[in-house]
Amino acid sequence: RRSISGDGELVIISGASGSGKTMLATEFGKYVAAGGGIVLSGKFDQLKQGKPFSALASAFDLYCGNLMRDSGPLRTAEVALKLISSLGKEVYHLARIIPNLAIMLGPSKSELISHDQEVFANPQKRLQYLLCQFVDVISSSFDAPVTLFLDDLQWADIASIDAVNQLLFTPDLSSSLSKRSNRFFFFGCCREGGINEQHPLWSVFCHANLLHVKYSNLQLRCFEEDTLNVMVSETLRLSPRLTWALSSIVYRKTKGNPLFVSRLMLSLSKNGLLRPNLKRRRWEWDEEKIQSQKLPDDVAMFITNSIEAQTEDVK
């Protein structure tokens, strides 16, 4: 709501793998979109750290694809014309990393992308500027604030973070140290301990403090044993007193990791260790067998083992 007034703002969600960071961010994105906001969503990949703008490019590409699908040809053509009007020939260079933008511009325009071999002294700085202009154009076209979500920020590349810096703050920080006037909200997810002073994102935090831009860091923790029992109780529709023994076993095996908990409960049900009793009209379980189950120490290995247990066609 604050970003609608014209101020930039950023939120970072951190936590262990499986703590629910991406799910929380996804639900927030749905809330923003339902309220008329524009949501751009991308994800960094550890194997693509050497490829600048990979997550940003995928976010803009997904947006362009959704725009063509949901807004119809007339609205899509209007946005394309505004991009051409604002960026001129530069838009065709931007379309090189955003395939769906090339489709929006049309077949005849797309030909210019492959034929233009102009060389620039600093192509990354140029793309940063073009991506920022893209945000300004779509925000003004729909008269809506733009929210950018980037997942797995611990794998972010410097060029992408520089673009985020430029979106949040005045490009020339040496002049007036003033904030950008466009309505822009940035939030991202990173693993707990994944960001330190050597990480590119640290510069964003420093600029936020310097320019008094609102910045929040949400830390997601694993379930406490009491909280986990409440969840199990509500899921099985039983009194917390009756589910306490089961919850204690699940807590010891998962350490309260939300993803691990949900996967383990599904596994117990699939293997018949957690099952409905139609005569008693309630769930029941075999505590000794559940207790004796050997599980890996982390959710990633648990999911890997679950996949390995499937047939080849399911894998």
Side-chain angles (χ1 to χ4, degrees), residues 20-271:
K21 303 183 297 296
T22 301
M23 179 176 288
L24 175 61
T26 301
E27 291 302 313
F28 176 71
K30 292 178 182 178
Y31 170 80
V32 172
I38 298 170
V39 181
L40 308 177
S41 179
K43 179 182 177 71
F44 289 104
D45 190 325
Q46 184 179 9
L47 301 179
K48 295 182 179 179
Q49 281 183 286
K51 185 179 179 181
F53 306 113
S54 60
L56 281 172
S58 66
F60 281 93
D61 191 56
L62 180 62
Y63 170 77
C64 290
N66 291 340
L67 179 66
M68 289 187 288
R69 183 193 66 201
D70 300 333
S71 298
L74 293 179
R75 190 61 161 155
T76 300
E78 180 184 340
V79 175
L81 287 174
K82 286 187 176 182
L83 285 168
I84 294 171
S85 175
S86 176
L87 303 179
K89 283 181 58 177
E90 298 284 311
V91 72
Y92 307 126
H93 301 292
L94 189 59
R96 286 179 178 177
I97 64 170
I98 306 175
N100 278 324
L101 176 58
I103 298 174
M104 283 177 55
L105 297 175
S108 59
K109 300 293 191 301
S110 299
E111 292 177 4
L112 296 173
I113 300 170
S114 58
H115 287 104
D116 190 347
Q117 300 297 326
E118 190 175 358
V119 177
F120 290 81
N122 197 330
Q124 288 191 6
K125 288 288 186 182
R126 179 165 158 269
L127 281 174
Q128 289 168 19
Y129 168 76
L130 294 175
L131 289 170
C132 292
Q133 288 296 105
F134 197 150
V135 169
D136 290 343
V137 168
I138 60 177
S139 179
S140 61
S141 296
F142 292 93
D143 190 27
V146 174
T147 295
L148 172 64
F149 166 61
L150 295 177
D151 202 357
D152 282 337
L153 283 168
Q154 68 272 8
W155 309 126
D157 60 276
I158 295 176
S160 295
I161 298 303
D162 284 347
V164 171
N165 254 318
Q166 192 165 333
L167 282 164
L168 280 167
F169 316 114
T170 302
D172 183 8
L173 293 173
S174 63
S175 57
S176 60
L177 296 181
S178 60
K179 294 174 285 187
R180 288 176 62 87
S181 60
N182 64 303
R183 297 174 293 174
F184 180 73
F185 180 80
F186 171 72
F187 74 113
C189 295
C190 68
R191 290 182 188 172
E192 192 172 33
I195 307 296
N196 55 32
E197 294 184 9
Q198 283 71 48
H199 193 279
L201 192 64
W202 199 261
S203 64
V204 178
F205 302 155
C206 292
H207 287 149
N209 289 329
L210 183 64
L211 302 175
H212 305 293
V213 172
K214 293 186 182 297
Y215 158 56
S216 302
N217 184 9
L218 305 180
Q219 294 182 317
L220 300 188
R221 305 296 185 190
C222 292
F223 292 135
E224 297 289 341
E225 191 168 359
D226 289 343
T227 305
L228 175 57
N229 187 44
V230 171
M231 189 199 76
V232 173
S233 168
E234 293 179 351
T235 301
L236 302 183
R237 296 181 180 275
L238 291 170
S239 164
R241 177 180 57 83
L242 296 176
T243 59
W244 182 258
L246 173 62
S247 299
S248 296
I249 297 173
V250 172
Y251 179 78
R252 288 195 298 271
K253 289 184 174 293
T254 64
K255 300 180 176 64
N257 183 285
L259 180 58
F260 206 165
V261 169
S262 64
R263 295 295 179 179
L264 177 58
M265 294 289 285
L266 288 172
S267 176
L268 294 177
S269 177
K270 181 179 178 181
N271 295 329

Side-chain angles (χ1 to χ4, degrees), residues 267-275 284-286:
S267 176
L268 294 177
S269 177
K270 181 179 178 181
N271 295 329
L273 301 180
L274 175 64
R275 56 196 176 274
E284 61 181 18
W285 50 89
D286 192 321

Side-chain angles (χ1 to χ4, degrees), residues 2-17:
R2 286 192 294 261
S3 65
I4 292 176
S5 67
D7 292 336
E9 187 163 347
L10 66 150
V11 172
I12 303 299
I13 306 172
S14 61
S17 296

